[in-house]
Amino acid sequence: MPPPPPALPDELLEEIFLRFPPDEPLCLVRASLASKSWFGLLTGPRFRGLYREFHGAPPMLGFIYCCPPEYVPKEEDDLPHFVATTKFGMPIPGVEDWRGWHKDYAAWDCRHGRVLFSNTSTMPILLVVWDPMTGRRRLLQAPGDYYSSGAAVLCSVTGCDHLACHMDPFKVVFVGLHNTDDGCVAYAHVSLPEVVKWSKPSSVHLTTEELFMVDEPPVFIQEALYFLLSYKDEDDNTAILKYDLGSNCLSLIDVPPTKTGLIRGILLMAMEDWSLGFAHMDGLTLNLWSRHMDSNGVALWTHSRVINLETLLYIQNPKKKFRLIGSVEGTYIIFVTIDRDIYEINLKTLRWKEIWTRGKCHALFPYMSFHNPPERVNLADAPH
């Protein structure tokens, strides 16, 4: 009987395994089950670090979706409306402890490996920061009562590359609107949940008119957050609220010089070059704008793309309900819903795919992360 072939050196195995696709974790999971030595290699900190560096930006493992306010969830709906986009459906630790979630909580943001939920049925609003990879949760109470508000969750480590920071400290930025005799005033609070303390708020007088936060994901670009606002009783009149974390300043930004139409046809984006993007629908035509500084240091909007989605997606009935519901930051990827179907579209390559069919979705939050099962913890060990 011939002797078995010599084992490949770890360095060569690493070079092979590094080329496994990050958006399909099942490949690495199967390889780790082949032998004890492979399991030790693939679950060790050295390989995980090399794998993240080799592939760069983390892949989308799934998404969290938000239902319209009028939608009544079914009792069997699971927390947190998480849909896996890979063949290896990522188990969600501690789902059984979220019974009754759908009656009160809705997703507000998802970034750097964490998801932010809000319960607006209470005053002050309750916030929950959740790590799907570990099952850890952190409960926060909003810093005040505002007639309209929004929030974002961020990694709080200075200089982090955000490739695997869901185990690192994080912070929540809460923005609220308040009416005064002089008009609408915006307030921004920053929280470090580890010490459960809100910062002293910064504020700015926005306008003499009443504004509302639009229930769509905020975008994060170069240490600044951008929220979409709408004017009361004016569905086609919008503005953008910017919060600069570095200077702790709020400011109001005008939208591109165009009639934007209904709120459901507008989406803020973080473009591939990390400029602020603004997508809006005119019928079934998508218009894409980007905001850059000119030679004089003045920020200007540029109309960069016009895309006919009717011909791109082969839409046979142009009267179908259409909505822009989310994007992947730092890319040209957006998500749209047409009746009960959700599509992922790359506005640069014009490639698209249907990712889900169920309907009743008005906001989508992509969950971007490398699959790191060794980092999981028991929910009983996690703070609540």
Side-chain angles (χ1 to χ4, degrees), residues 56-303:
M60 186 173 85
L61 299 182
F63 61 86
I64 296 92
Y65 66 94
C66 216
C67 297
E70 67 275 9
Y71 175 62
V72 179
K74 299 178 182 179
E75 288 295 329
E76 62 268 23
D77 282 351
D78 293 328
L79 177 89
H81 278 170
F82 180 88
V83 178
T85 54
T86 68
K87 293 180 181 178
F88 180 71
M90 187 183 73
I92 302 175
V95 170
E96 63 278 359
D97 291 345
W98 288 84
R99 298 303 180 192
W101 76 272
H102 52 268
K103 298 177 181 178
D104 302 311
Y105 286 90
W108 266 13
D109 193 28
C110 180
R111 186 178 293 101
H112 301 160
R114 292 183 177 88
V115 186
L116 177 65
F117 293 98
S118 71
N119 181 352
T120 57
S121 65
T122 64
M123 284 296 170
I125 292 172
L126 290 178
L127 304 173
V128 175
V129 179
W130 175 61
D131 178 358
M133 196 66 67
T134 65
R136 285 193 177 101
R137 297 197 302 266
R138 176 73 69 171
L139 180 66
L140 291 169
Q141 190 176 71
D145 295 338
Y146 297 95
Y147 74 86
S148 185
S149 55
V153 61
L154 307 162
C155 170
S156 62
V157 177
T158 302
C160 181
D161 58 12
H162 306 311
L163 295 181
C165 54
H166 65 89
M167 295 292 288
D168 294 329
F170 64 91
K171 58 189 172 186
V172 174
V173 176
F174 185 91
V175 176
L177 303 181
H178 180 67
N179 272 332
T180 67
D181 294 338
D182 297 324
C184 181
V185 178
Y187 295 85
H189 308 255
V190 180
S191 171
L192 294 177
E194 286 73 14
V195 295
V196 196
K197 183 179 180 181
W198 291 100
S199 66
K200 183 178 179 180
S202 60
S203 63
V204 64
H205 181 267
L206 298 179
T207 175
T208 56
E209 301 178 68
E210 192 172 5
L211 286 164
F212 290 87
M213 308 284 290
V214 176
D215 53 351
E216 75 164 40
V219 296
F220 181 58
I221 303 171
Q222 297 177 352
E223 296 304 308
L225 284 161
Y226 297 84
F227 299 84
L228 185 63
L229 306 178
S230 67
Y231 287 85
K232 183 180 180 181
D233 301 325
E234 296 183 49
D235 204 20
D236 63 347
N237 194 0
T238 57
I240 301 170
L241 180 64
K242 175 184 178 181
Y243 175 62
D244 190 309
L245 281 79
S247 61
N248 192 30
C249 290
L250 287 157
S251 57
L252 196 64
I253 298 174
D254 290 332
V255 298
T258 181
K259 189 175 180 63
T260 56
L262 299 177
I263 292 296
R264 63 182 175 85
I266 300 173
L267 182 69
L268 297 182
M269 300 175 59
M271 305 298 288
E272 194 173 56
D273 61 356
W274 293 103
S275 62
L276 177 62
F278 184 93
H280 74 89
M281 297 300 303
D282 182 5
L284 291 176
T285 300
L286 186 143
N287 293 269
L288 185 60
W289 299 71
S290 58
R291 192 168 185 263
H292 294 89
M293 293 289 183
D294 66 7
S295 57
N296 297 318
V298 179
L300 299 174
W301 288 105
T302 302
H303 196 186

Side-chain angles (χ1 to χ4, degrees), residues 301-318:
W301 288 105
T302 302
H303 196 186
S304 55
R305 295 291 299 273
V306 178
I307 301 170
N308 188 333
L309 295 185
E310 182 176 6
T311 57
L312 179 66
L313 300 179
Y314 310 111
I315 299 174
Q316 297 179 352
N317 182 3

